[in-house]
Amino acid sequence: DGGITQSPKYLFRKEGQNVTLSCEQNLNHDAMYWYRQDPGQGLRLIYYSQIVNDFQKGDIAEGYSVSREKKESFPLTVTSAQKNPTAFYLCASTTASGFGYEQYFGPGTRLTVT
Amino acid sequence: QKEVEQDPGPLSVPEGAIVSLNCTYSNSAFQYFMWYRQYSRKGPELLMYTYSSGNKEDGRFTAQVDKSSKYISLFIRDSQPSDSATYLCAIYDGNKLVFGAGTILRVKS
């Protein structure tokens, strides 16, 4: 089955620790995205990548980092510099630009930092 | 001013009601308008998209765009309890999606 997988579903970390969220897709999509969702705020874009070895900051990139070494993988690291990391994180992918409005989402990772 | 504004609700309606969900946007250059549906603790899924102005119908769902007033709407006819979800409007700016806050809809049986 084609799709996007995110792991783990729930993640708990202590304050001050970096944590990496996994996102893998087997849809052969070129572009991948990371969003953060907080109650009442919709989805906010953290980073996106339209091709391998290239990525751009979204609206709320501070305290996060990404890499895109393989087409199918786009991991997100939440660093200790992120002041309020507890949130629901969603990964998405889409075909090459021109159809970027049809994004396919993974099931999400709920991160709790205490 | 946010690029896309959406009332987060929640909106509670009885089964069978007609539901109207709305968003406004700020940039008149936007051409692609989307509605995503998100069930609790799941990722969003694309429900409908509209290019430029006009209406688009898919079963019980109708998406409408009024570019003169920068207003986008989603209508759900004969609403069902299974329609209970968060509905997110979004615009595509050529590179990325910009989402509204999402409206929580509850359809009571």
Side-chain angles (χ1 to χ4, degrees):
Chain A
D1 284 336
I4 301 177
T5 56
Q6 290 185 247
S7 61
K9 190 171 183 177
Y10 297 96
L11 191 54
F12 298 89
R13 280 293 182 270
K14 294 290 187 186
E15 199 172 312
Q17 293 179 335
N18 291 358
V19 59
T20 297
L21 281 58
S22 168
C23 178
E24 304 275 333
Q25 55 98 0
N26 61 4
L27 300 166
N28 199 33
H29 283 170
D30 294 297
M32 296 186 74
Y33 306 79
W34 273 106
Y35 295 91
R36 170 184 171 134
Q37 188 173 31
D38 297 281
Q41 295 198 46
L43 275 65
R44 292 183 291 167
L45 183 64
I46 304 173
Y47 269 98
Y48 65 105
S49 167
Q50 294 182 315
I51 56 172
V52 174
N53 292 323
D54 189 41
F55 47 83
Q56 286 77 42
K57 292 182 179 179
D59 300 317
I60 55 165
E62 185 175 347
Y64 299 97
S65 66
V66 294
S67 63
R68 185 87 187 276
E69 297 176 1
K70 298 186 295 183
K71 186 176 183 177
E72 59 269 22
S73 178
F74 191 39
L76 173 75
T77 297
V78 184
T79 75
S80 56
Q82 169 48 235
K83 296 189 189 317
N84 187 18
T86 294
F88 188 47
Y89 290 88
L90 288 157
C91 178
S93 70
T94 190
T95 57
S97 61
F99 297 93
Y101 53 84
E102 188 171 4
Q103 294 188 10
Y104 294 81
F105 284 83
T109 292
R110 189 166 296 278
L111 173 64
T112 302
V113 177
T114 57
Chain B
Q1 182 188 9
K2 287 185 179 179
E3 288 186 281
V4 182
E5 299 270 8
Q6 183 176 11
D7 185 341
L11 180 62
S12 185
V13 301
E15 183 176 354
I18 296 174
V19 176
S20 172
L21 303 168
N22 308 293
C23 292
T24 58
Y25 62 94
S26 59
N27 190 332
S28 57
F30 295 147
Q31 294 276 44
Y32 285 92
F33 306 92
M34 276 65 62
W35 285 97
Y36 280 78
R37 178 175 61 194
Q38 183 179 24
Y39 291 113
S40 182
R41 298 187 179 86
K42 304 286 186 186
E45 56 180 348
L46 181 64
L47 189 59
M48 298 181 71
Y49 79 90
T50 309
Y51 175 73
S52 194
S53 279
N55 292 0
K56 188 170 186 178
E57 191 172 317
D58 184 1
R60 297 184 293 110
F61 298 86
T62 300
Q64 190 174 79
V65 177
D66 183 344
K67 293 197 75 178
S68 62
S69 57
K70 298 179 196 169
Y71 201 80
I72 56 178
S73 303
L74 178 71
F75 300 97
I76 307 175
R77 292 184 298 280
D78 187 25
S79 56
Q80 302 295 310
S82 58
D83 295 329
S84 297
T86 298
Y87 290 81
L88 299 133
C89 63
I91 57 92
Y92 181 59
D93 72 359
N95 279 314
K96 60 187 188 299
L97 291 174
V98 180
F99 286 88
T103 299
I104 298 170
L105 172 66
R106 297 184 184 129
V107 182
K108 299 173 293 185
S109 58

